[in-house]
Amino acid sequence: MQPTIFKIICFAISFCVLEVISIFIFKWIRNTFAKKESGTNQKADWSVLKGLIERGMLLLGFVASIPTIVVFFGAIKLGTRLKESSDSKISNDYFLIGNITSAIVVLLEYLLFQLLSK
């Protein structure tokens, strides 16, 4: 098997395995905050897709040795957050916990990719 194909397979495995696990983690986080804030579940369908794309982008940046992807990711997250109301403490906590968890998932995906691709 060619090294490039092997790395692509390792990337796909590490991404898919931890994304399946993260579905349950983010469902728990969403349900925890939904009890306190009624509008949280309305965004659930899009947030799953957005999360997959965001974590895929970060993982691809780490695998391609482009650490500035984290700065790019942070700027996008901050820019999209600026227009939302900062009045809701629960919404801010939900945003923060979700993003930190998402970053941890990406780091675990990257570590799994490193382990598999050796």
Side-chain angles (χ1 to χ4, degrees):
M1 191 178 317
Q2 295 177 349
T4 304
I5 294 173
F6 177 70
K7 291 221 179 217
I8 291 170
I9 291 170
C10 291
F11 179 90
I13 290 171
S14 61
F15 183 73
C16 291
V17 166
L18 280 157
E19 286 302 316
V20 168
I21 293 169
S22 74
I23 288 171
F24 299 104
I25 294 169
F26 287 111
K27 183 176 180 177
W28 176 80
I29 291 171
R30 189 172 39 252
N31 288 339
T32 300
F33 281 91
K35 293 175 187 173
K36 299 174 185 172
E37 186 175 324
S38 62
T40 306
N41 274 338
Q42 295 172 355
K43 300 177 185 177
D45 294 336
W46 285 109
S47 65
V48 171
L49 180 60
K50 282 185 349 185
L52 283 169
I53 293 169
E54 289 170 355
R55 288 186 295 278
M57 177 191 70
L58 281 171
L59 180 60
L60 187 58
F62 287 148
V63 168
S65 298
I66 306 172
T68 54
I69 196 74
V70 175
V71 175
F72 176 73
F73 174 74
I76 288 175
K77 294 299 282 188
L78 182 60
T80 57
R81 184 72 179 150
L82 285 177
K83 68 179 186 176
E84 291 186 19
S85 171
S86 61
D87 297 336
S88 175
K89 175 83 169 119
I90 295 171
S91 180
N92 289 335
D93 289 346
Y94 180 68
F95 178 76
L96 180 64
I97 290 169
N99 283 311
I100 290 172
T101 305
S102 197
I104 290 169
V105 169
V106 171
L107 291 174
L108 291 173
E109 288 171 353
Y110 180 67
L111 291 174
L112 181 59
F113 169 79
Q114 291 292 328
L115 184 69
L116 293 175
S117 64
K118 284 187 179 182

